[in-house]
């Protein structure tokens, strides 16, 4: 049977070479048509032993393809001769529309929002120019508290508010915590606050204006395992299923207990390398909302508990993508040669 | 606070089989974070970050105390050796070698002892080595002892040349505004008042207490008798000094966090030991100790259920006790109720049941806890949330070739160009002194940074501007702005028109001049009476600029436009070429044509040759197919109108 197919194919190819345009269509029906020669053979396959069937089937299909291509090519040549089609160069470069780019920060904001929206977080926006009360005092950091040194804060030169103190540029998204508690009043709260933040610093690793994202959850029976679960979920969905989170004890005035959270390093898979601290990269701060902070937000700490976490957006996004931008200031340089890469 | 601890020094107080890597790992998981370990000869140096509330852990002994509690939780045996001292001097309220007057609000505990006949020289090699290992320069035995003990125990000490304290008298008081004092480093300070200072019998200031000693009472190579000085200061005053004098020393950094007054005692005894041993000094038999309010233990109460509720995992009562006891907190159960008595070194950071909870949790190990997502109700979505709209606008512009930029909200004085703006009190530089009122200067800047670009360029940004309000926070107004370069007016205006159309906005463009734009080149974009923004060609470099108030645009955007049935009958289309008088506004022509007859469904510019404009007119009736005759009638109406209103005529 193999021979028969081979012969049939050779015969067809020979006929195609000499065919004119009408004959070509005849040959197509003859060999490839539903009742054509090759389909005839396919029908006979059933009589063959089961083992042989796929082999013959394959040979028939190869023959079909070869004949089909020969007919198409011949067709093209005949047409060209008649002047119906001209020579055409399809390798000419295309006229691309201008390709636009969303900034890395926007891309990060979108991804982080989506990740948390899936577990019921509500994205909000609060002032970037804030009163000291919301940025510090209500978060358990009275004036002159040494803990404030960590936040190198910009102050606005307007007269202070009689109740809320000085006007500042928010040094962290945590200033949205009290705002959110006051807005919602009755928990549940699952807040996601992504905003510009400002600190008095400028070097390759720091910029005076950057972004943070902050989560706040307040409800009945919220405990440390929920904080851990939420951060774990974030690590897996944002950074990838293999990444892990660890909590380390830390101190913030507005949470108790407090933590820093790290993500496992993807470069060394947690074994420890030059870029990380023994397999871990520091991501942000977190903790259980301090009862005084709940009180300051008008929420009764006897009935409700909560947790909060915050991290740098640019840093998180760079850790996700593996982008090594050696000078973070590049992000805000408006240089098209940089922006077009994303 | 970042500190360095040599492993060999740590093992003076920590007895364990764990190696340095294991110690670092366990500390990080349950206590202070070890940032790195450096090998130095046979020794290893830990770099440790101690949080501001845990000043009791700053120092070799403090870290050893933490490690001794933490390591056993990881199944590694460890124990803490206490600080051993030989000195047996009596703590006394009065001594004959020093007369004092102390304000105890500033100095809750004041101790001092006179040590005579000391020999000044280099300190022993092991002290020098250890100081060098942590980055402190050895000077002489007297200075080195102070530093060594400060790094070991976390309590600063000071030594005066006893003979330079005139009248053997000290008055510890608040400074008066304008008093002068020269510190050990030779700097003279004019004091703002309220600093803690010590005055001697001649009324000279001899110490900027808690921060740095005075030059006039300094120990030098001729010093024979020293006054060893170990104090506890009010952290609030020290903190204020540090901030107002902008003078930060290791001692001040410790004092401003609030130290344990009980720590004074062991530091004093150990200091005496080292002065005897190393400087061959002869201490007096009494230590002056002014301590009117000694520490009395306080108690924090909580329940077993509280621990379980807040952690989300049950922890057995005896395990809770074991953890707390290992940290030096004494526990007593009464049924479900737990009282914890707090040792002096933790008195400042443990006040609430939540503070106890943290101690239990970290030693139990966060890594041993499960992860859960909270159940419970999902909160209500935010009413009138702007975020979807904002990203839609950004994506639309991106789709048409726009590149998004983020520029700084902080700009220079020239860039705000208005007195009614917010100025920072402590800017980093003059280029970032003000909160911006407009995105325009930043975008013009961004465009000029990309001057070398020859391709069409469209940069846009969506960010806030900050409009001051007297006596209140500024209005933070979200703006959309962009610049185009290397593109025609028509192409860029089309992007804006298309954007508004895709947002379901019927906008009008009215020409109105303003100072930043070329004459006749600016359009105000409105929807009804509401001004949405502006578009036009700037005087500056001929850039095409636009800006919109995002909330204004959102307020008139219709996400779902109402359904209009598609016409059942074919339309007729023809091109009409009109010759216009010069200075005729094409926008007016088209508007007028479109409104000339209800059956004109659209008028579009297809070609321009000098004053001749070819317009493609679509005739469409909703009720029938228009005949040539009917079209002719409409055309005549249009052309008459063009002639009358604009003096425009049909070409040939």
């Amino acid at each position: 049977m193999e021979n028969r197919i081979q012969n049939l194919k050779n015969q067809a190819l020979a006929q195609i070479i000499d065919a004119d345009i009408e004959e070509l269509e005849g040959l197509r029906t003859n060999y490839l048509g539903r009742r054509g020669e090759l389909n005839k053979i396919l029908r006979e396959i059933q009589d063959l032993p089961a083992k042989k069937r796929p082999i013959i089937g394959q040979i028939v299909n190869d023959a079909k393809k070869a004949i089909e291509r020969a007919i198409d090519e011949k067709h093209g040549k005949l047409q060209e001769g008649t002047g119906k089609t001209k020579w055409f160069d399809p390798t000419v470069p295309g006229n691309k529309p201008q390709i636009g780019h969303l900034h890395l920060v926007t891309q990060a904001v979108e991804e982080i929002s989506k990740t948390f929206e899936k577990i019921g977080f509500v994205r909000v926006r609060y002032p970037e120019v804030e009163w000291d009360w919301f940025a510090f005092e209500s978060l358990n950091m009275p004036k002159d508290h040494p803990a404030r040194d960590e936040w190198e804060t910009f102050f606005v030169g307007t007269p202070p508010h009689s109740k809320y103190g000085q006007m500042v540029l928010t040094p962290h998204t945590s200033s949205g915590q009290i705002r959110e508690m006051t807005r919602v009043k009755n928990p549940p709260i699952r807040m996601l606050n992504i905003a510009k933040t400002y600190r008095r610093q400028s070097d390759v690793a720091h910029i005076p204006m950057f972004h943070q994202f902050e989560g706040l959850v307040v409800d009945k029976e919220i405990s440390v395992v929920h904080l851990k679960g939420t951060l774990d979920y974030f690590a897996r969905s944002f950074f990838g299923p293999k990444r892990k989170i660890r909590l380390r004890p830390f101190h913030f005035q507005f949470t108790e207990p407090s933590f820093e959270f790290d993500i496992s390093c993807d470069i060394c898979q947690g074994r420890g390398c030059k870029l990380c601290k023994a397999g871990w990269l520091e991501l942000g701060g977190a903790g259980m909302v301090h009862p005084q902070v709940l009180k300051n937000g008008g929420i009764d700490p006897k009935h409700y508990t909560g947790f909060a976490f915050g991290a740098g957006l640019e840093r998180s996004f760079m850790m996700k993508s593996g982008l090594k931008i050696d000078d973070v200031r590049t992000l805000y340089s408006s240089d098209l040669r940089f922006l077009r890469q994303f | 606070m970042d500190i360095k601890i040599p492993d060999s020094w740590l093992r003076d107080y920590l007895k364990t089989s764990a190696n340095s890597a294991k110690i670092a790992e366990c500390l990080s998981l349950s206590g202070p974070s070890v940032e790195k370990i450096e090998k130095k000869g046979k020794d290893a140096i830990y770099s440790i970050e101690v949080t501001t509330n845990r000043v009791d852990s700053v120092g070799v002994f403090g870290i050893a105390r933490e490690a001794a509690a933490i390591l056993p939780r990881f199944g590694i045996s460890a124990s803490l050796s206490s600080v051993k001292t030989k000195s047996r001097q009596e703590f006394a309220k009065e001594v004959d070698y020093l007369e004092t007057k102390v304000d105890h609000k500033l100095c809750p505990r004041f101790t001092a002892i006179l040590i005579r006949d000391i020999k000044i020289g280099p300190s022993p090699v092991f002290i020098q080595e250890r100081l060098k290992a942590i980055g402190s320069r050895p000077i002489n035995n007297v200075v080195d002892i102070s530093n060594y003990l400060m790094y070991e125990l976390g309590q600063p000490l000071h030594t005066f040349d006893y003979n330079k304290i005139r009248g053997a008298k000290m008055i510890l008081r608040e400074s008066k505004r304008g008093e002068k004092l020269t510190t050990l480093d030779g700097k003279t300070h004019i004091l703002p008042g309220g600093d803690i200072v010590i005055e001697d019998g001649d009324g000279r200031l001899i110490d900027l207490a808690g921060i740095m000693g005075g030059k006039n009472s300094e120990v030098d190579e001729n010093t024979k008798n020293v006054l060893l000085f170990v104090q506890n200061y009010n952290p609030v005053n020290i903190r204020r000094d540090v901030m107002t004098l902008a003078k930060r020393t290791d001692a001040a950094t410790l004092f401003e966090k609030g130290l344990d007054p009980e720590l004074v005692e062991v530091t004093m005894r150990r200091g005496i030991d080292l002065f005897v041993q190393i400087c061959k000094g002869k201490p007096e038999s009494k230590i002056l100790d002014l301590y009117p309010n000694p520490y009395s233990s306080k108690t924090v109460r909580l329940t077993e259920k509280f621990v379980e509720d807040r952690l989300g995992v049950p922890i057995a009562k005896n395990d809770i006790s074991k953890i707390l006891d290992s940290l030096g907190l004494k526990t007593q159960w009464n049924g479900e109720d737990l009282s914890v008595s707090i040792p002096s070194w933790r008195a400042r950071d443990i006040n609430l049941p939540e503070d106890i909870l943290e101690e239990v949790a970290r030693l139990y190990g966060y890594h041993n806890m499960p992860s859960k997502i909270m159940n419970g109700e999902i909160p209500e979505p935010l009413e009138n949330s702007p975020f979807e709209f904002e990203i839609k606008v950004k994506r639309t512009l991106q789709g048409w070739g726009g590149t998004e930029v983020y520029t700084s909200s902080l700009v220079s004085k020239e860039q705000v160009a208005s007195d009614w703006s917010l100025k920072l009190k402590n800017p980093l530089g003059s280029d970032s002194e003000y909160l911006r009122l407009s995105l325009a200067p930043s975008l013009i800047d961004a465009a000029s940074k990309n001057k070398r670009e020859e391709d069409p360029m469209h940069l846009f940004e969506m960010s806030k501007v900050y409009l001051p309000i007297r006596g209140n926070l500024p209005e933070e107004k979200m703006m959309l702005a962009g610049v185009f370069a290397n593109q025609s007016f028509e192409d860029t205006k089309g992007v804006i028109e298309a954007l508004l159309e895709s947002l379901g906005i019927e906008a009008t463009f009215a020409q109105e001049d303003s100072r930043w734009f070329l004459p006749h080149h600016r359009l105000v974009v409105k929807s009804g009476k509401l001004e949405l923004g502006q578009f036009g060609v700037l005087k500056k470099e001929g850039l095409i600029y636009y800006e919109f108030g995002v909330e204004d645009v959102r307020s008139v955007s219709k996400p779902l436009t109402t359904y209009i049935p598609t016409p059942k009958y074919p339309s007729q289309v023809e091109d009409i070429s009109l010759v216009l008088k010069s200075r005729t506004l094409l926008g007016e022509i088209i508007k007028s044509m479109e409104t000339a007859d209800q059956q004109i469904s659209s008028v579009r510019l297809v070609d321009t040759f000098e004053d001749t404009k070819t317009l493609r007119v679509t005739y469409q009736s909703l009720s029938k197919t228009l005949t040539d005759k009917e079209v002719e009638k409409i055309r005549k109406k249009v052309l008459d109108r063009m002639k009358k209103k604009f003096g425009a005529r049909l070409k040939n």
Side-chain angles (χ1 to χ4, degrees):
Chain A
M1 190 171 263
E2 286 96 323
N3 280 342
R4 216 172 108 207
I5 301 166
Q6 189 62 37
N7 290 340
L8 211 54
K9 186 172 115 185
N10 290 341
Q11 189 190 324
L13 294 178
Q15 285 173 326
I16 290 166
I17 291 172
D18 295 329
D20 64 21
I21 210 144
E22 282 89 40
E23 284 166 349
L24 219 46
E25 286 317 300
L27 290 173
R28 197 191 290 275
T29 326
N30 211 2
Y31 289 102
L32 306 175
R34 207 153 56 85
R35 292 174 187 283
E37 294 295 331
L38 286 165
N39 279 340
K40 239 187 250 168
I41 294 177
L42 277 184
R43 279 193 288 275
E44 287 167 29
I45 280 184
Q46 300 159 4
D47 305 335
L48 295 175
K51 251 182 158 177
K52 201 110 200 243
R53 283 181 212 166
I55 302 168
I56 297 299
Q58 184 63 45
I59 297 174
V60 172
N61 276 331
D62 288 349
K64 267 186 171 176
K65 267 186 209 150
I67 295 169
E68 196 165 3
R69 200 170 59 224
I71 291 175
D72 288 346
E73 268 172 20
K74 180 70 183 175
H75 197 267
K77 267 187 203 150
L78 287 171
Q79 289 268 319
E80 199 180 302
T82 62
K84 274 187 190 161
T85 54
K86 281 185 205 147
W87 180 81
F88 180 73
D89 179 5
T91 67
V92 63
N95 285 330
K96 272 187 271 184
Q98 182 98 346
I99 297 172
H101 304 269
L102 288 185
H103 195 273
L104 279 181
V105 167
T106 296
Q107 296 181 34
V109 168
E110 286 308 298
E111 279 196 42
I112 290 170
S113 307
K114 260 190 234 141
T115 306
F116 284 109
E117 276 162 13
K118 281 183 200 149
I119 52 169
F121 280 69
V122 177
R123 187 168 162 208
V124 296
R125 174 178 285 152
Y126 288 118
E128 282 170 32
V129 183
E130 251 303 6
W131 299 117
D132 183 282
W133 162 260
F134 293 97
F136 291 115
E137 194 104 25
S138 66
L139 299 176
N140 249 348
M141 280 184 274
K143 267 172 215 67
D144 300 325
H145 196 283
R148 284 190 178 207
D149 292 356
E150 305 285 321
W151 289 264
E152 300 190 33
T153 309
F154 284 114
F155 292 94
V156 180
T158 45
H161 189 277
S162 56
K163 199 165 136 202
Y164 296 133
Q166 294 211 74
M167 202 185 280
V168 303
L169 303 191
T170 48
H172 54 183
T173 39
S174 308
S175 55
Q177 290 188 13
I178 296 291
R179 293 261 179 207
E180 177 72 351
M181 293 179 204
T182 341
R183 179 185 75 86
V184 177
K185 294 188 185 80
N186 299 307
I189 291 172
R190 293 187 194 181
M191 172 199 84
L192 179 67
N193 180 22
I194 310 181
K196 287 195 167 99
T197 43
Y198 300 85
R199 288 190 198 175
R200 240 183 137 269
Q201 52 187 6
S202 182
D203 57 48
V204 293
H206 298 94
I207 14 181
M209 181 189 91
F210 58 105
H211 292 78
Q212 283 191 344
F213 62 97
E214 175 113 359
L216 172 72
V217 171
V218 181
D219 203 349
K220 285 182 177 139
E221 296 166 5
I222 295 295
S223 69
V224 175
V225 297
H226 297 126
L227 168 56
K228 207 180 158 190
T230 301
L231 292 176
D232 263 339
Y233 159 79
F234 171 66
R236 278 182 282 110
S237 27
F238 185 72
F239 291 97
K242 286 188 183 148
R243 307 292 285 277
K244 275 192 238 129
I245 282 276
R246 77 167 180 184
L247 300 177
R248 274 183 294 108
F250 202 72
H251 174 71
F252 298 105
Q253 285 289 118
F254 43 107
T255 48
E256 188 71 43
S258 303
F259 321 94
E260 278 190 330
F261 57 101
D262 300 341
I263 177 125
S264 57
C265 177
D266 65 330
I267 305 208
C268 63
Q269 260 77 46
R271 283 190 297 272
C273 67
K274 269 185 198 163
L275 287 167
C276 62
K277 279 192 279 180
W280 297 94
L281 297 158
E282 192 179 315
L283 210 56
M288 304 305 292
V289 182
H290 195 286
Q292 186 59 46
V293 174
L294 288 172
K295 266 186 224 161
N296 293 341
I299 287 174
D300 186 351
K302 283 202 196 78
H303 295 108
Y304 294 103
T305 50
F307 65 80
F309 56 86
L313 182 99
E314 290 86 346
R315 186 176 158 81
S316 302
F317 196 67
M318 283 194 255
M319 281 184 193
K320 171 197 166 80
S321 50
L323 285 177
K324 272 176 241 127
I325 298 173
D326 27 357
D327 186 344
V328 281
R329 290 172 290 195
T330 319
L331 275 174
Y332 295 95
S333 68
S334 305
D335 188 333
L336 272 169
R337 292 169 302 176
F338 172 76
L339 297 168
R340 281 202 183 117
Q341 296 177 38
F342 307 103
Chain B
M1 291 166 84
D2 297 318
I3 58 168
K4 288 190 168 180
I5 308 271
D7 183 63
S8 61
W9 199 347
L10 183 68
R11 288 176 199 275
D12 283 0
Y13 293 106
L14 177 68
K15 302 297 168 218
T16 180
S17 55
N19 64 20
S20 56
K22 191 74 200 167
I23 291 174
E25 187 197 328
C26 298
L27 279 177
S28 292
L29 280 173
S30 291
S33 180
V34 179
E35 308 285 305
K36 63 174 184 218
I37 309 175
E38 284 166 292
K39 288 278 165 216
K40 220 169 211 174
K42 268 191 258 167
D43 213 352
I45 316 292
Y46 305 95
S47 292
I48 304 179
E49 184 181 6
V50 180
T51 55
T52 50
N53 62 325
R54 290 300 308 275
V55 68
D56 64 291
S57 298
V58 177
V60 177
F61 183 75
I63 294 294
R65 186 162 54 200
E66 276 286 304
I70 289 168
L71 289 169
R73 302 296 309 179
F74 292 85
I76 301 162
S77 69
S79 63
L80 180 72
S81 311
S82 58
V83 183
K84 291 182 187 67
T85 54
K86 288 183 196 139
S87 113
R88 291 293 170 264
Q89 278 78 2
E90 174 196 347
F91 282 88
K93 283 190 181 137
E94 261 178 56
V95 291
D96 52 13
Y97 52 84
L98 192 68
E99 187 189 333
T100 55
K101 196 175 156 200
V102 174
D103 181 344
H104 283 291
K105 275 208 304 287
L106 307 176
C107 177
R109 188 168 194 182
F110 181 110
T111 68
I113 189 167
L114 170 61
I115 302 175
R116 294 180 197 275
D117 295 329
I118 57 148
K119 311 270 178 298
I120 295 200
S123 40
V125 175
F126 85 96
I127 287 190
Q128 292 198 32
E129 289 301 319
R130 282 182 171 180
L131 287 177
K132 276 191 233 160
I134 59 170
S136 173
R137 192 166 55 91
I139 295 169
N140 60 43
N141 48 11
V142 173
V143 178
D144 293 353
I145 288 171
S146 296
N147 286 333
Y148 185 82
L149 288 182
M150 176 170 72
Y151 297 126
E152 182 172 86
L153 300 174
Q155 166 71 52
L157 309 84
H158 184 61
T159 41
F160 293 91
D161 183 328
Y162 177 74
N163 298 54
K164 293 179 185 169
I165 306 169
R166 296 194 185 155
K169 184 176 174 186
M170 282 183 161
I171 300 167
L172 186 147
R173 61 165 173 85
E174 259 187 39
S175 71
K176 296 175 200 108
R177 189 189 168 88
E179 281 185 294
K180 274 191 203 163
L181 175 70
T182 303
T183 42
L184 286 174
D185 55 2
K187 292 206 177 97
T188 301
H189 306 273
I190 297 165
L191 302 177
D195 318 79
I196 311 177
V197 290
I198 295 173
E199 179 185 317
D200 72 2
D202 268 7
R204 304 181 310 157
L205 298 188
I206 56 167
D207 189 30
L208 184 57
I211 301 193
M212 196 179 264
K215 188 88 186 150
N216 51 12
S217 58
E218 180 185 23
V219 172
D220 59 38
E221 62 273 27
N222 303 316
T223 299
K224 286 277 168 281
N225 306 319
V226 297
L227 188 75
L228 178 61
F229 204 62
V230 187
Q231 321 297 99
N232 183 275
Y233 293 115
N234 185 335
V236 177
N237 295 77
I238 301 290
R239 170 82 183 156
R240 202 170 52 205
D241 283 8
V242 169
M243 300 314 271
T244 53
L245 296 174
K247 187 149 200 69
R248 182 168 282 289
T249 57
D250 285 343
T253 300
L254 286 168
F255 280 130
E256 73 170 6
K257 310 285 187 307
L259 296 177
D260 172 14
E262 298 292 310
L263 184 59
V264 165
E265 195 170 320
V266 67
T267 310
M268 177 51 100
R269 289 213 185 280
R270 187 137 161 77
I272 295 169
D273 286 356
L274 292 184
F275 269 96
V276 170
Q277 185 194 328
I278 293 165
C279 305
K280 312 295 173 209
K282 297 188 183 69
E284 290 283 329
S285 60
K286 282 182 181 171
I287 302 165
L288 176 63
D289 181 19
L290 305 173
Y291 188 24
N293 298 301
Y295 179 73
S296 60
S297 172
K298 65 175 177 184
T299 305
V300 177
R301 284 171 227 283
L302 62 156
T303 62
E304 187 186 5
K305 186 172 180 316
F306 176 82
V307 175
E308 177 171 350
D309 284 352
R310 297 304 169 90
L311 294 186
V313 280
I315 299 181
K317 273 159 63 174
N318 64 349
D319 208 16
I320 294 175
S321 301
K322 222 159 110 187
I323 286 171
L324 295 175
D325 290 344
S326 74
L327 290 164
L329 284 70
K330 292 196 182 62
T331 53
Q332 184 157 11
W333 286 99
N334 186 356
E336 303 296 291
D337 299 331
L338 173 67
S339 16
V340 185
S341 84
I342 313 301
S344 62
W345 67 90
R346 299 299 303 273
R348 273 182 190 275
D349 86 286
I350 300 183
N351 299 298
L352 302 174
E354 281 80 1
D355 298 323
I356 299 289
L357 186 77
E358 173 159 42
E359 298 307 297
V360 175
R362 70 185 176 98
L363 265 78
Y364 177 81
Y366 295 118
H367 52 285
N368 292 324
M369 290 186 190
S371 287
K372 279 185 197 157
I373 296 284
M374 45 281 168
N375 28 34
E377 271 173 72
I378 300 282
E380 293 288 314
L382 187 68
E383 215 172 295
N384 198 23
S385 174
F387 304 110
E388 276 300 313
F389 180 79
E390 290 173 5
I391 189 67
K392 181 179 173 186
V393 170
K394 288 183 181 186
R395 288 222 172 95
T396 303
L397 292 176
Q398 176 209 7
W400 293 326
T403 294
E404 190 190 10
V405 297
Y406 274 72
T407 58
S408 176
S409 321
L410 302 174
V411 297
S412 68
K413 189 172 182 159
E414 293 71 42
Q415 286 174 315
V416 286
S418 164
D419 294 336
W420 190 228
S421 56
L422 294 176
K423 188 179 181 209
L424 296 184
K425 227 184 242 175
N426 55 342
L428 270 175
S430 61
D431 61 339
S432 53
E433 239 180 323
Y434 289 84
L435 281 155
R436 63 180 161 185
L437 299 171
S438 160
L439 304 185
S442 315
L443 281 164
I444 292 167
D445 225 37
S448 70
K449 274 186 197 151
N450 292 292
K451 245 186 189 150
R452 74 190 94 74
E453 284 296 322
E454 286 169 355
D455 290 338
M457 175 168 88
H458 175 196
L459 302 178
F460 71 92
E461 174 164 13
M462 192 185 284
S463 278
K464 289 172 171 180
V465 296
Y466 309 86
L467 312 174
I469 298 174
R470 199 175 298 283
N472 211 334
L473 295 175
E475 179 195 350
E476 299 187 8
K477 189 175 180 192
M478 187 59 82
M479 298 298 292
L480 168 71
V483 278
F484 293 99
N486 312 323
Q487 293 186 70
S488 72
F489 185 85
E490 290 88 334
D491 284 348
T492 58
K493 188 180 171 194
V495 170
I496 300 307
E497 288 170 334
L499 172 69
L500 294 167
E501 198 179 316
S502 73
L503 296 173
I505 295 169
E506 276 185 41
T508 56
F509 290 70
Q511 189 251 314
E512 251 176 60
D513 280 354
S514 99
R515 58 193 280 224
W516 305 107
F517 291 81
L518 287 175
H520 314 309
H521 282 66
R522 174 175 175 266
L523 294 164
V524 172
V525 185
K526 287 184 185 171
S527 168
K529 281 190 179 151
L530 179 68
E531 196 170 311
L532 303 178
Q534 55 177 345
F535 171 86
V537 185
L538 293 173
K539 284 178 184 160
K540 200 150 187 178
E541 298 176 32
L543 288 168
I544 299 177
Y545 175 75
Y546 65 88
E547 68 179 17
F548 291 92
V550 176
E551 283 306 289
D552 294 328
V553 175
R554 189 162 79 95
S555 71
V556 292
S557 164
K558 292 193 204 85
L560 287 170
T561 42
T562 43
Y563 164 70
I564 302 163
T566 47
K568 285 188 191 126
Y569 304 96
S571 60
Q572 294 215 30
V573 180
E574 68 173 349
D575 288 355
I576 295 178
S577 292
L578 290 176
V579 181
L580 304 185
K581 289 163 86 177
S582 64
R583 294 180 165 250
T584 306
L585 297 173
L586 194 57
E588 302 289 308
I589 294 274
I590 292 173
K591 206 200 289 170
S592 178
M593 282 174 89
E594 279 180 335
T595 52
D597 191 286
Q598 279 205 332
Q599 293 169 107
I600 293 181
S601 69
S602 84
V603 178
R604 209 154 56 75
L605 178 73
V606 289
D607 198 17
T608 293
F609 179 72
E610 293 170 352
D611 284 338
T612 306
K613 310 285 170 185
T614 304
L615 298 154
R616 185 158 295 166
V617 183
T618 306
Y619 305 92
Q620 173 79 62
S621 163
L622 292 175
S623 53
K624 60 179 177 176
T625 307
L626 293 170
T627 63
D628 287 355
K629 261 202 166 151
E630 286 162 330
V631 168
E632 201 186 315
K633 247 173 90 183
I634 304 167
R635 181 191 311 124
K636 191 167 178 309
K637 203 165 150 190
V638 172
L639 292 175
D640 285 351
R641 192 179 224 199
M642 289 301 105
K643 197 166 176 188
K644 240 196 234 153
K645 230 170 148 181
F646 301 99
R649 61 178 175 84
L650 189 66
K651 177 153 187 168
N652 299 332

